[in-house]
Amino acid sequence: MRNLLLLVVVCCFFSCNKESIRISGKIEGVGDSKIELKLNTKSEKSKTILSDVQLKDGAFDAFIENVKPPFKMTLVVDAEKEYDIWIFRYGKFNFEIDKKELVIVNNSFENTEYDRILRKYQKAYMDSLAEKISWVQTHKSEENLCEEDEGKLFKYRKEIKKAVTLRKKSILSTYRKEPQNPIAMALIFDEFENLTSWQKEECLKNASKYFSDCAVNWQLKN
């Protein structure tokens, strides 16, 4: 009887643990500070998950409950800097933000795969246009461009628009193969502003179908 009771307690413990998220993190260049964890929506609303989390020598440890993955979490440091982190499942996560403000999640297959796919599409469509994108950003607001630069601006914008469209098509293709996959959901969530109205409707319907009680569904619809 005693052993059975112990087994029930252990099972309950692990059951509860499966529905919670533990996050430990390290932010380089930050000392003792406060951070806030929140959910941002596509209409710029937000919901606080945890507030006044203490950073000690740039490190913190926190538990998140009553928020079902997947979701895109925003970490706010001292109400100033913001960093986005995808949480794909319950469990333990460790991440770091380096001096270049790059977010690295150390123990998540899902985050590694998500980053791999993004790098793949970045390399395929955007990297070769880096100099042209920089040139457009520098000159797009200038008045009285010479005729040659006007032509260059038009040409570069056309090339960039085509690359962005091709990248979007690849993300849509990946998403449509497995709309129930949290990684695919994350990819389309981040591409949402570039979708057409009917593509957005498709995304919202699938979110309701496969992620109805997940935070990402709330983030899309609010």
Side-chain angles (χ1 to χ4, degrees), residues 120-130 132-133 155-171 191 194:
K120 173 185 174 182
Y121 292 150
Q122 180 70 21
K123 181 179 180 180
Y125 302 113
M126 308 307 299
D127 281 357
S128 62
L129 296 175
K132 294 179 180 180
I133 292 171
K155 178 185 176 183
Y156 286 179
R157 278 178 164 168
K158 188 176 181 180
E159 290 179 26
I160 295 166
K161 183 179 179 180
K162 181 180 179 180
V164 169
T165 299
L166 291 173
R167 180 180 180 276
K168 183 183 77 170
K169 286 182 177 179
S170 291
I171 290 175
E191 191 69 17
N194 293 325

Side-chain angles (χ1 to χ4, degrees), residues 145-152:
L145 286 174
C146 67
E147 185 175 344
E148 181 181 353
D149 284 347
E150 284 281 5
K152 185 184 292 187

Side-chain angles (χ1 to χ4, degrees), residues 23-36:
I23 300 176
S24 58
K26 177 71 176 179
I27 306 175
E28 290 190 34
V30 177
D32 296 347
S33 305
K34 286 185 178 180
I35 64 172
E36 176 188 7

